[in-house]
């Protein structure tokens, strides 16, 4: 999303936790889709000359991806509505899905469930939204001594040699 961010004059910053696992054993295409949809929405809707911060954290039981944007005003109400009604999201969302980016957020909620995770948001009318993707650490990390070649894609921050 580098070019879209530059075009919209939005800076994207990354903050990586040292405790974040080197390798996640999950479907990288689904993980990419979730984070990409949130980031695309945030870049498109954030005011010019603002910053979006992407953070990673790991707690005892969770791996967390966070995206903090600067979207304020009426859009925060729409986002909050989409997330509050996610259990019956598709049938009741047609009035709020005025563009593909909003539909991308609904899709991201569904895809988080495919990874057995939860996608949440906390929106403030004046400051913006914080999106959190929470994944169960035990289900997506494997101790190095038990790692085997996986049949599914892995998402990794390791540099290839």
């Amino acid at each position: 999303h580098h070019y879209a961010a530059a075009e919209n004059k939005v800076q994207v910053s990354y903050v990586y936790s040292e405790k974040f696992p080197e390798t996640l054993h999950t479907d990288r295409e689904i993980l990419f889709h979730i984070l990409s949809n949130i980031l695309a929405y945030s870049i498109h809707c954030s005011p010019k000359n603002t910053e979006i911060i992407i953070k990673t954290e790991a707690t005892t039981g969770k791996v967390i991806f966070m995206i903090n944007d600067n979207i304020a005003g009426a859009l925060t109400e729409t986002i909050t509505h989409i997330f509050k009604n996610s259990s019956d999201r598709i049938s009741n969302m047609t009035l709020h899905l005025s563009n593909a980016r909003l539909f991308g957020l609904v899709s991201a909620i569904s895809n988080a469930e495919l990874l057995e995770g939860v996608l949440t948001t906390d929106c403030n009318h004046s400051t913006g939204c914080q999106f959190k993707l929470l994944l169960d650490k035990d289900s997506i990390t494997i101790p190095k001594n038990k790692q085997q070649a996986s049949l599914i894609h892995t998402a990794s921050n390791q540099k290839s040699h």
Side-chain angles (χ1 to χ4, degrees), residues 95-107:
L95 293 176
H96 298 283
L97 299 179
S98 58
N99 65 47
R101 287 183 178 83
L102 284 173
F103 185 73
L105 291 180
V106 174
S107 176

Side-chain angles (χ1 to χ4, degrees), residues 86-130:
S86 64
S87 62
D88 194 20
R89 68 186 146 268
I90 300 299
S91 62
N92 292 326
M93 290 299 124
T94 54
L95 293 176
H96 298 283
L97 299 179
S98 58
N99 65 47
R101 287 183 178 83
L102 284 173
F103 185 73
L105 291 180
V106 174
S107 176
I109 294 168
S110 295
N111 282 324
E113 293 169 3
L114 289 175
L115 297 181
E116 298 179 10
V118 176
L119 182 61
T120 65
T121 189
D122 181 21
C123 292
N124 181 298
H125 191 74
S126 59
T127 59
C129 296
Q130 179 183 67

Side-chain angles (χ1 to χ4, degrees), residues 26-98:
T26 189
D27 188 312
R28 75 174 170 203
E29 299 300 322
I30 295 174
L31 180 60
F32 173 81
H33 174 79
I34 295 166
L35 298 174
S36 179
N37 273 316
I38 297 168
L39 190 55
Y41 184 80
S42 295
I43 289 170
H44 179 76
C45 296
S46 285
K48 294 194 181 318
N49 301 315
T50 58
E51 180 181 36
I52 296 170
I53 301 171
I54 301 170
K55 296 180 184 178
T56 61
E57 288 184 5
T59 64
T60 303
K62 298 288 180 196
V63 170
I64 306 166
F65 294 88
M66 289 179 283
I67 298 177
N68 297 319
D69 66 28
N70 299 286
I71 301 169
L75 283 175
T76 60
E77 294 168 14
T78 300
I79 293 167
T80 300
H81 181 76
I82 288 171
F83 277 79
K84 279 186 179 176
N85 295 300
S86 64
S87 62
D88 194 20
R89 68 186 146 268
I90 300 299
S91 62
N92 292 326
M93 290 299 124
T94 54
L95 293 176
H96 298 283
L97 299 179
S98 58

